[in-house]
C-alpha cells in the first residue's frame, strides 16, 4: 500500500497515511484568501521518518496551486519554512 497523502477539506486537514493508517496530520483554518496552518502532529512511534515534512510540503504545494497564501502558527510549519526559504513566496504578508 505505501504512503498516501490527502487533503480532507471537510475536516480542515491534510493527512499522511502509511499502509492505510494515519501517521501524520496537519490541521488548518480557512481564512478566505489565506490558510492558517495551526497544528501538525505525527504518531509518536512514527516520528523521525520525515513524515511531517513530507506532509507539510504536500500541503504547501496544494495551497500554492490554489493561489492562496499560508500563515504558519504551528511551530513545526514555521521551522519548515525557515528550512525552505525558497518557498517563502507562499507566505501571507
Amino acid at each position: 500500500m505505501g504512503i498516501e497523502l490527502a487533503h480532507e477539506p471537510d475536516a480542515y486537514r491534510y493527512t499522511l497515511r502509511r499502509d492505510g493508517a494515519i501517521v501524520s496530520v496537519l490541521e488548518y483554518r480557512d481564512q478566505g484568501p489565506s490558510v492558517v496552518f495551526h497544528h501538525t502532529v505525527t504518531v509518536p512511534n512514527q516520528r523521525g521518518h520525515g513524515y511531517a515534512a513530507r506532509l507539510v510540503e504536500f500541503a504547501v504545494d496544494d495551497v500554492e496551486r490554489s493561489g492562496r497564501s499560508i500563515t504558519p502558527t504551528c511551530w513545526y510549519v514555521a521551522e519548515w519554512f525557515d528550512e525552505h526559504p525558497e518557498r517563502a513566496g507562499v507566505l501571507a504578508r
Side-chain angles (χ1 to χ4, degrees), residues 40 53 56 72-85 91:
T40 308
V56 170
T73 60
C74 167
W75 69 267
Y76 184 86
V77 176
E79 283 187 6
W80 186 91
F81 275 104
D82 288 345
E83 294 171 5
H84 299 85
L91 292 172

Side-chain angles (χ1 to χ4, degrees), residues 2-87:
I3 301 293
E4 297 174 54
L5 294 154
H7 179 203
E8 300 177 0
D10 292 341
Y12 298 98
R13 70 183 190 175
Y14 290 89
T15 59
L16 184 147
R17 295 175 189 266
R18 182 172 172 247
D19 298 328
I22 290 180
V23 171
S24 192
V25 176
L26 187 160
E27 298 173 336
Y28 67 88
R29 284 190 307 275
D30 187 338
Q31 303 266 306
S34 69
V35 178
V36 176
F37 285 177
H38 67 87
H39 184 69
T40 308
V41 65
T42 299
V43 174
N45 68 350
Q46 297 294 321
R47 292 178 181 158
H49 299 286
Y51 295 134
R54 241 174 117 172
L55 182 59
V56 170
E57 182 175 19
F58 175 78
V60 169
D61 289 346
D62 186 57
V63 171
E64 189 171 42
R65 276 191 301 276
S66 75
R68 300 165 82 195
S69 62
I70 296 169
T71 301
T73 60
C74 167
W75 69 267
Y76 184 86
V77 176
E79 283 187 6
W80 186 91
F81 275 104
D82 288 345
E83 294 171 5
H84 299 85
E86 71 281 5
R87 302 303 302 271

